[in-house]
Amino acid sequence: MADKNYHLNDVVQMKKAHPCGENRWKVIRMGADIRIKCEGCGHSVLIPRKKFETKMKKVLETSE
């Protein structure tokens, strides 16, 4: 399986949509845990890196 490369301020798609209906998340903090922010309602969630990597589907936009 290929590694999914993601960086700070990238917009990613998760396997499940947020309850508000949006499926786009912006990476706003990286470390042992990753904080992502919903692009629809602005709610942010802190997820352990390992769990984030299994739940992330793909990178939609890069920060470059």
Side-chain angles (χ1 to χ4, degrees):
M1 183 169 109
D3 290 332
K4 300 172 184 172
N5 294 326
Y6 53 90
H7 304 286
L8 193 62
N9 295 322
D10 284 356
V11 177
V12 297
Q13 180 180 8
M14 302 302 280
K15 291 183 180 176
K16 288 188 177 180
H18 191 250
C20 74
E22 187 63 50
N23 203 12
R24 296 169 52 89
W25 296 83
K26 186 173 188 177
V27 179
I28 58 173
R29 179 185 180 275
M30 291 184 65
D33 296 325
I34 296 184
R35 183 172 297 274
I36 55 177
K37 182 177 180 181
C38 178
E39 294 279 291
C41 64
H43 181 78
S44 66
V45 180
L46 188 66
I47 306 174
R49 181 180 288 266
K50 187 166 181 110
K51 187 173 181 181
F52 173 80
E53 289 174 351
T54 60
K55 301 242 181 219
M56 184 181 78
K57 192 171 186 180
K58 63 182 173 180
V59 176
L60 299 174
E61 298 175 15
T62 58
S63 59
E64 299 171 337

